[in-house]
Structure formats: C-alpha cells, structure tokens
Amino acid sequence: MSQYIGRFAPSPSGRLHFGSLVAAVGAYAVAKIKDGKILLRIEDLDFFRCKKEYTSIILRELDEFGFKFDGEPYIQSEHTDVYYKAAKDLVAKEKAFYCNCTRSYLKNNSCHCRNKGLKEDSEDNLALRFIIPKVHQDYFEDEIYGQKRFPVLQESLTLIRRDKVISYNLACVVDDIRQGVTQVVRGSDLIDITTTQMCLYKALDADYISYLHLPLAMADDTYKLSKQNRSPAVLDQGSPSQMLIKALEFLNQDTDGLQPQMPPKKILDKALERFEIKRIPVGKKVVV
Ligand code: GLU
C-alpha cells in the first residue's frame, strides 16, 4: 500500500484560532498514527484577505505547539503559475470557460458565457469557470461520518475570479494531487464542498482520495469559530500546552495525565501514543 500523506492547510488571514488548532491536531495525529507524512501548506492566494505577516506568525505558532511537519512549508502564492496552467488546461479540454459576467449581473441573471467562446485577453478582466458535469459522483466515504451525499447543484465553479484571485477549490485540489495527499483531514465546515472538489479531481484525471472531517468548533449554537468572525487567537486564550490539551479534549481523546506544565512537544507525543480515530465525535461542538 502507498504511504499515507496528510496535510494541514491554514489560510493566513489571521492568527490561529481554536478551530485551526483542532484541525492541526487532528490532521497531525491521524497522519502519525497511520505512519504517514504530514505536510504543511499555507493557502494564501486570496491577496485581499491573507497577509505575509500572518504566515510568519502561523509558522511560529505551530512551532510553539511542538508540531514537526515533513519538509518545508509549501506556500501557494509562490506557485501561482501551476494553478493558471491547470485552469488553462481545463479550458483547452473544454471543461472550463472564460466569463465576463460581473458579480452584480450574476445576482439576478444566469451566465451564458460558456457558449460565447471568450478568449483570454489581458485587456479584459475575465473570470475562469469550471463546468460541473451533469453526471458526477455525488457521494464519498468519510472516515468519521460514513457515506455522505452532496449532489453539486450549481452549473459552474469559479476557478479564477475576475480580480485574478485563484480560488481555494482549484488550488487545494491541484496541490492535494501534486503533493500526493492520500487523505484530507479538515474541519466539517468544508464537508459539503467535497463532492464539488471531486469533480475537479475527475476533470484533472486524478484518482479520488479519502476524507475525514473533524467536528466543527463553534463559538455558540450559530457561529463557527473562524478568523472572519474575529475568533480570538488561540494563544491568547492559554499556553500552548493548555490549548493542546483543550484541543485533545475537544476531539474526545484520552488526556489523562497530560499536564499544562509539560512542554507541548511532550503532550503531543504522549497524545499520539493513545490517539484513537473512533473517539472523534461527529458534527458540531460548542467550545467551552
Ligand atoms: N485553508 C482552509 C482553511 O484555512 C482549509 C482548507 C482545507 O483543509 O481543505 O479553512
């Protein structure tokens, strides 16, 4: 069997919050207990939201928690040519098209650019959209949730926006394929986009991979913790060791004997010895 390759892929739109730590601990632990590799990828393509200073801060914070990722961090903004090439190859295969609809136009009208045969022209600000095939696999097996079904209802998916921001979905799928990721472990907020991403796997002639969606850390019954909701930075809420123990408790793991006075690396090592995927809860959980 091929080696397990997992990844943790934060977006540097702010410091790490508790939800990011849960995703990091989950992805890291699952990779380690499967004798796999764990890669670190910085998803910083949205230049309106992401800042270089947050990349440095996130790298430092992950280090403070004691995580040791395999290889150098992979910074998406250093590889934009790869995503453009993948998108243009999809146009060449008639699986994607250029579009000149504005966002406000699309609010009330549907896009017919697919039939216009627009060509890339640096004068125009064209978006590039992927055609969702009418017939597609609308389910996947999740290691926590079991079989999940999410038919993709929309007709197209934006790969590159008119303002030239490369979409998360394109870059994430291209990189997971290029980096040989065998399982995606991430928060359940991304569970419903999975079948859409699988359409891209198929269009890029790649094999499907497996998924494990972690419980979503909620601020209350309505809001998930996220940088957009201005969730507090996790290292403002406690020491690295305290917060690691809290993340392990959130994942319902055995934290017996883990003390906040221990160095974070020791907590991680001890937690890995007894980490059990079957203990991870399903769904959402309010962080207390
Ligand atoms: N970059 C995304 C985030 O910070 C995670 C994407 C993924 O794991 O697929 O929410």
Side-chain angles (χ1 to χ4, degrees):
M1 233 183 80
S2 62
Q3 194 191 19
Y4 180 101
I5 303 182
R7 52 44 162 202
F8 173 55
S11 299
S13 53
R15 292 175 61 195
L16 294 175
H17 57 80
F18 185 71
S20 339
L21 178 62
V22 167
V25 169
Y28 193 86
V30 171
K32 293 290 173 188
I33 62 172
K34 294 190 180 189
D35 287 328
K37 285 191 177 173
I38 179 77
L39 312 177
L40 174 62
R41 186 167 79 220
I42 301 293
E43 299 200 321
D44 61 345
L45 290 172
D46 185 340
F47 42 78
F48 293 105
R49 288 178 45 221
C50 299
K51 295 207 167 38
K52 285 248 179 304
E53 66 201 74
Y54 287 130
T55 297
S56 320
I57 292 173
I58 286 178
L59 296 180
R60 197 177 60 230
E61 290 185 334
L62 290 170
D63 209 47
E64 283 179 48
F65 283 113
F67 293 112
K68 298 274 172 265
F69 290 93
D70 290 291
E72 290 299 307
Y74 183 92
I75 315 279
Q76 285 189 326
S77 60
E78 294 172 2
H79 303 273
T80 50
D81 50 330
V82 174
Y83 315 117
Y84 272 105
K85 180 171 182 320
K88 284 179 186 172
D89 287 351
L90 289 173
V91 178
K93 291 199 239 164
E94 297 185 357
K95 293 178 178 181
F97 61 93
Y98 288 101
C99 162
N100 62 1
C101 299
T102 58
R103 243 190 255 188
S104 56
Y105 173 84
L106 287 175
K107 272 192 195 138
N108 302 311
N109 305 279
S110 41
C111 165
H112 297 288
C113 293
R114 190 178 160 177
N115 308 319
K116 286 191 199 155
L118 294 171
K119 295 268 179 292
E120 189 196 17
D121 177 346
S122 52
E123 294 298 306
D124 291 331
N125 287 332
L126 298 178
L128 209 154
R129 298 192 211 286
F130 170 63
I131 304 163
I132 304 283
K134 281 211 167 55
V135 178
H136 59 264
Q137 184 167 323
D138 62 358
Y139 66 90
F140 62 96
E141 290 297 326
D142 187 282
E143 203 171 333
I144 302 279
Y145 286 81
Q147 191 176 94
K148 289 301 278 184
R149 191 170 288 273
F150 289 107
V152 187
L153 301 176
Q154 81 239 39
E155 288 179 0
S156 68
L157 174 77
T158 303
L159 300 179
I160 299 177
R161 292 190 338 211
R162 294 182 83 210
D163 58 15
K164 300 295 165 230
V165 170
I166 298 166
S167 80
Y168 151 68
N169 286 306
L170 173 66
C172 167
V173 171
V174 165
D175 283 343
D176 283 338
I177 295 170
R178 268 166 40 99
Q179 297 185 299
V181 169
T182 58
Q183 184 176 50
V184 164
V185 177
R186 61 184 174 195
S188 296
D189 50 334
L190 293 163
I191 196 165
D192 52 358
I193 198 72
T194 304
T195 43
T196 308
Q197 294 188 347
M198 287 166 63
C199 294
L200 275 175
Y201 272 84
K202 179 110 179 143
L204 294 167
D205 299 317
D207 292 333
Y208 296 140
I209 57 166
S210 75
Y211 294 89
L212 187 160
H213 286 91
L214 298 164
L216 197 56
M218 304 289 288
D220 55 34
D221 287 343
T222 325
Y223 290 107
K224 67 164 187 155
L225 291 180
S226 75
K227 291 169 196 135
Q228 282 104 306
N229 299 340
R230 305 209 170 157
S231 298
V234 64
L235 282 177
D236 285 346
Q237 299 180 298
S239 70
S241 297
Q242 275 172 326
M243 298 319 286
L244 271 178
I245 295 172
K246 199 166 169 187
L248 288 160
E249 281 166 354
F250 183 84
L251 291 170
N252 197 30
Q253 299 299 310
D254 174 7
T255 54
D256 210 29
L258 301 182
Q259 304 290 342
Q261 301 85 334
M262 292 175 172
K265 180 77 176 62
K266 187 158 179 191
I267 292 180
L268 261 185
D269 288 345
K270 284 199 165 298
L272 292 178
E273 283 166 17
R274 39 187 148 135
F275 195 92
E276 284 184 275
I277 294 175
K278 64 173 191 297
R279 294 185 65 135
I280 301 176
V282 174
K284 300 173 180 179
K285 226 173 126 176
V286 176
V287 182
V288 284

